[in-house]
Amino acid sequence: MSLALTPPRRPLRRAVAAVLVALAAISAIATISAIAGPARAAEANDPDLTLLYRLALSAEMCGFTVSPKQAEGIGKDMDRHIRRLNLSDDDADALYKKIEADMAAEDWDKLCAKSGAWAKTYAEQIRKFGK
């Protein structure tokens, strides 16, 4: 999967990816709204959910490629993990923001580098959700 984008198409792809990932995240949060007994976000140390959030953030912030099917798969997996952890909407949102801050502290330029380690990991992980 090529992560290289031509400059004229990059803003459009970035916008499309951001919309798809946002819709998947909204779906995940809407699904958990009926769940009672929230856990604290700080206690939700789930590596799988963290990875899913990192994938979603990378598609949005780095403009990494994500198809509608992949975005839907990520959203469904987020739903599953959020339900399993019994996170409230606020807790899920707080965890997402924490992971976003952690990624920003790692330096978006390094994380988003097309030939960097995270770009390779992203490409490997995103393939698990189809094309």
Side-chain angles (χ1 to χ4, degrees):
M1 175 183 301
S2 173
L3 296 179
L5 302 172
T6 59
R9 295 181 68 195
R10 186 174 183 152
L12 178 60
R13 283 189 179 218
R14 200 175 245 194
V16 170
V19 168
L20 292 172
V21 172
L23 289 174
I26 289 168
S27 171
I29 291 173
T31 301
I32 63 167
S33 64
I35 298 174
R40 287 183 284 164
E43 295 172 359
N45 186 14
D46 182 72
D48 294 328
L49 183 57
T50 298
L51 175 64
L52 293 167
Y53 280 172
R54 286 180 65 93
L55 293 174
L57 284 159
S58 296
E60 180 181 352
M61 301 303 289
C62 300
F64 289 167
T65 303
V66 62
S67 73
K69 179 181 177 182
Q70 291 166 329
E72 183 178 341
I74 290 169
K76 285 180 180 179
D77 269 9
M78 282 180 192
D79 286 346
R80 185 171 52 85
H81 287 285
I82 289 168
R83 281 191 306 269
R84 184 179 52 78
L85 294 168
N86 200 27
L87 293 177
S88 69
D89 292 347
D90 290 340
D91 290 336
D93 188 48
L95 181 60
Y96 188 86
K97 289 178 181 176
K98 179 193 177 305
I99 293 167
E100 181 178 23
D102 291 347
M103 290 176 77
E106 291 178 49
D107 187 3
W108 286 113
D109 288 338
K110 289 180 184 176
L111 282 171
C112 296
K114 293 176 186 174
S115 61
W118 174 243
K120 291 174 186 170
T121 300
Y122 176 89
E124 291 167 6
Q125 294 297 321
I126 205 77
R127 275 194 286 272
K128 294 178 183 178
F129 297 97
K131 294 187 178 192

